[in-house]
Amino acid sequence: MDVNAAVAAAAAIAGVCTGVIAMLAFRWSERDQKRPTRTSLHTDPVLPPGVDTVLSVLRSSAVVLDEADSVVKASSAAYALGLVRGGKLAVEPMLQMARDTRRDGEIRQVELDLPRRGTGRGEALAVSARVAPLGSRLVLLLVEDLTEARRIEAVRRDFVANVSHELKTPVGALSLLSEAVMDASDDPEAVERFAGRMQIEATRLTNLVQELIDLSRVQNDDPLEDAEPVRVDELVAEAIDRSRHQASHKQITMAAGGTAELQIWGNRGQLAAALGNLVENAVNYSPARTRVGIAARRVTAPGGDLIEVAVTDQGIGISDKDKERIFERFYRVDPARSRATGGTGLGLAIVKHVAASHGGEVTVWSSEGQGSTFTLRLPEAAAQRDRGTGHGGGLDGETASSGDSTATAAAAATTTYEPIPAPEVLP
């Protein structure tokens, strides 16, 4: 009996020991699984708390690299710029910066020009890259796209240089002419001649300053704040009256036609300036005894009907290389002719800004020796569309389609007045 009790006690003790050993082994295994290993640190890095949220709201392109130069986190903008490809940083200078920063912990910044993805034009993206350590193992790369800022700065720099040059020319001429008048005080004929030249230079200077003011106004002002329905025939009449003296001097016939009683929604002053500049250019760049036509019609567009006003001349025309730049500020197709006519090179730039700010566009068709057609397309006033309009001239605004040639429309619009031959080659 004592032997059986001893055996039972020994078995109980052995069972307890086995259970304790099993429990300790289980807990040890569980703790060992939770402990990070070198391999897990290398293959599955974790961003510090809050970093992911901060990177998601940054406007800059963001890339986080681990100690093996693998991408841990990258924003969509970084992929769009082509910084990350196949899970790796694809720009070698930035990758070298990241390695240097990981080695010594110093923050680095550099500006680079990167090839633009998806284009074969050789254009480059200007970026600013900044690298900083993120904890003990990660590196943060922030990339800012400076391309648009550089373009704007270049435009501003060229604009200031051009304005300085354009202002310097008439001011210098006035200074020299005033000295000539003083030296020729005893010669009435010379004084009269120099005074006439001074008036010409003063007029040129006044026009330049006024057009600079107009350009600044159309760029900064919202035309819809003072928008109203504007009758197209009134704008055309005002534009013709503005150039009537110059046209009469050159024996140029100006004719208007097209659909009558059309209306545009916008700022009357800006619209009058834009159309007036187009008609004035047509007169200035046309030979004597030719015709300038202004035609208006309604065209159908997916977003709503548009009013199309075409100004056609029989002038010297514009070459293909010049057509790409004629809407730039201070650009002149023929500088010598512009100086003779007092042109500033700002008229078409004003037209472009007015058209864009009114939700429209301005286009040009031209062929050297055959003339040019500038076309303004602007949204029609909604009230006028609802009321319906009458028609005048030879062009039926209800049946005219947007696929018709602008030059043909301009010619057809003036048949009631004085026909303007359309160019032989249509756009």
Side-chain angles (χ1 to χ4, degrees):
M1 189 67 179
D2 294 336
V3 174
N4 291 337
V7 171
I13 293 172
V16 171
C17 290
T18 301
V20 171
I21 293 173
M23 183 180 64
L24 292 175
F26 174 77
R27 291 191 174 183
W28 181 270
S29 175
E30 189 178 41
R31 186 177 64 179
D32 188 64
Q33 289 178 1
K34 292 182 178 180
R35 181 184 302 162
T37 63
R38 183 181 301 274
T39 303
S40 66
L41 287 174
H42 177 71
T43 59
D44 189 21
V46 180
L47 291 176
V51 173
D52 195 11
T53 303
V54 173
L55 295 182
S56 65
V57 298
L58 286 177
R59 298 181 61 183
S60 305
S61 302
V63 180
V64 179
L65 303 175
D66 64 10
E67 53 193 2
D69 292 334
S70 297
V71 176
V72 178
K73 175 75 175 179
S75 63
S76 57
Y79 286 98
L81 287 179
L83 303 179
V84 179
R85 299 176 189 173
K88 295 288 185 180
L89 187 61
V91 183
E92 183 60 32
M94 296 182 186
L95 186 59
Q96 187 59 47
M97 287 174 57
R99 291 168 179 168
D100 295 340
T101 297
R102 186 185 299 111
R103 184 182 66 253
D104 55 26
E106 292 186 5
I107 298 176
R108 289 174 168 81
Q109 183 169 353
V110 67
E111 293 189 1
L112 300 170
D113 291 332
L114 305 179
R116 189 185 297 269
R117 296 184 64 189
T119 63
R121 296 175 294 175
E123 297 180 355
L125 289 172
V127 299
S128 174
R130 185 179 180 86
V131 180
L134 188 63
S136 59
R137 297 176 296 105
L138 303 180
V139 173
L140 173 63
L141 170 67
L142 296 177
V143 179
E144 190 77 23
D145 188 354
L146 304 178
T147 307
E148 184 66 14
R150 284 192 179 181
R151 187 191 68 81
I152 293 175
E153 180 60 29
V155 170
R156 183 182 296 111
R157 185 171 55 249
D158 292 343
F159 181 73
V160 172
N162 287 331
V163 168
S164 301
H165 174 74
E166 295 296 334
L167 289 173
K168 183 179 178 180
T169 300
V171 169
L174 287 173
S175 177
L176 293 175
L177 288 169
S178 63
E179 293 180 3
V181 169
M182 293 178 64
D183 293 339
S185 56
D186 56 347
D187 187 349
E189 293 184 1
V191 170
E192 184 178 357
R193 183 172 66 255
F194 292 142
R197 288 296 306 170
M198 291 177 69
Q199 287 183 337
I200 294 174
E201 296 298 334
T203 301
R204 179 176 300 176
L205 182 60
T206 302
N207 292 339
L208 175 58
V209 172
Q210 184 59 50
E211 291 200 344
L212 286 172
I213 294 173
D214 293 341
L215 180 60
S216 176
R217 184 173 298 153
V218 300
Q219 286 181 314
N220 297 327
D221 293 350
D222 183 2
L224 299 182
E225 290 183 357
D226 301 320
E228 60 178 333
V230 181
R231 291 177 57 90
V232 176
D233 51 1
E234 293 178 359
L235 295 177
V236 172
E238 186 175 338
I240 291 177
D241 188 65
R242 169 176 166 177
S243 300
R244 189 179 304 278
H245 176 74
Q246 181 68 11
S248 175
H249 179 72
K250 298 175 67 174
Q251 299 181 20
I252 292 176
T253 300
M254 291 189 292
T259 305
E261 299 182 6
L262 297 176
Q263 290 188 353
I264 299 173
W265 185 262
N267 183 291
R268 179 182 178 84
Q270 292 188 13
L271 293 172
L275 186 57
N277 285 344
L278 291 181
V279 175
E280 187 175 12
N281 278 356
V283 172
N284 288 337
Y285 286 90
S286 293
R289 293 179 294 279
T290 55
R291 290 183 175 87
V292 170
I294 307 97
R297 65 171 183 170
R298 180 188 298 107
V299 295
T300 303
D305 289 349
L306 299 176
I307 301 302
E308 187 176 89
V309 184
V311 179
T312 301
D313 63 59
Q314 298 172 306
I316 60 177
I318 306 170
S319 66
D320 291 337
K321 65 180 182 65
D322 288 323
K323 279 190 288 188
E324 298 178 357
R325 301 191 58 190
I326 56 174
F327 294 104
E328 295 179 11
R329 302 164 184 167
F330 296 109
Y331 186 79
R332 298 181 177 93
V333 175
D334 186 350
R337 182 183 290 265
S338 295
R339 285 192 294 269
T341 60
T344 63
L346 290 174
L348 291 180
I350 293 174
V351 175
K352 177 182 177 181
H353 283 288
V354 169
S357 63
H358 282 75
E361 64 174 351
V362 58
T363 59
V364 58
W365 175 90
S366 185
S367 180
E368 290 186 275
Q370 298 188 43
S372 305
T373 297
F374 285 84
T375 304
L376 266 175
R377 295 184 182 91
L378 299 167
E380 184 180 12
Q384 181 69 12
R385 289 199 305 268
D386 297 337
R387 184 174 67 250
T389 61
H391 305 293
L395 180 64
D396 187 353
E398 297 294 341
T399 59
S401 65
S402 58
D404 294 336
S405 164
T406 301
T408 302
T414 56
T415 53
T416 303
Y417 303 82
E418 292 191 22
I420 299 177
E424 295 179 2
V425 181
L426 301 179

